[in-house]
Amino acid sequence: MGETTASNRPAELRDMVAADIDFITALDLELFGVDSWPREMFVAELSQPETRRYIIAELPSGVEREQTQIAGYAGLMCVPPIGDIQTIGVLPEFEGRGIARAMLDELIAEAGRRGADDIMLEVSSKNPRAQKLYKRYGFEHIHTRRKYYRDGSDGLIMRLPLAGDVTTTTATTVKDPA
């Protein structure tokens, strides 16, 4: 077995709080450029916990055991019978470690707990990695919004029907693939 280091320890998920907004706004700009959300959008989203849930994925910083660094974030809006994945972002240096999967697992479970029958999301046609992830989960491409994003890319609308009881979280930590 390999040694556990700060670079391969599991991510932990927690709820986003107001103190995270400035960092997440900057991260969103880094990840999504002209299509990033303004700070006020995150403030508004966090102010609606009855229909929203935003989470943060943290990893040990490697400096001290108690210190962590944000590796990703994701958000859900749920107004039954529809849940909508609003955003998922992972820092490039942490891609491929299962962080997006863990956050997606948690938001799918949350949508089920809140009474959603279906989960919707939108992804850029220029993001094949995310499209592949969503297809692995069973999301189906149901509509295309032509030139939806400011960079001219299409927005692919995808839907996942929730079957059965989705009241438990399928993953709370992320482990590196061996």
Side-chain angles (χ1 to χ4, degrees), residues 3 9-10 13 31 33 35 62 74 83-84 94 102 104 109 113 115 118 124 138 140 148 159 168 178:
E3 178 182 326
R9 281 191 212 132
L13 302 181
L31 295 176
D35 288 306
D84 194 316
F94 299 116
L104 189 57
R113 289 189 293 267
D118 293 292
S124 171
E140 300 173 298
Y148 178 75
R159 179 184 57 156
T168 58

Side-chain angles (χ1 to χ4, degrees), residues 16 18 21-22 24-26 28 36-48 52 54:
M16 187 184 295
I21 291 174
D22 288 335
I24 295 303
T25 300
D28 200 61
S36 64
W37 288 5
R39 183 182 193 284
E40 296 76 25
M41 181 82 116
F42 285 107
V43 170
E45 290 292 295
L46 285 185
S47 73
Q48 301 175 69
R52 310 295 200 272
Y54 281 76

Side-chain angles (χ1 to χ4, degrees), residues 5 12 23 27 38 43 77-79 94-95 98 104 111 115 124-125 130 137 152 155 162-163 175 177:
T5 66
E12 292 185 16
F23 182 84
L27 177 55
V43 170
M77 175 180 70
C78 189
V79 180
F94 299 116
E95 287 179 353
L104 189 57
S124 171
S125 60
Y137 273 78
L162 294 182
K175 299 202 186 303

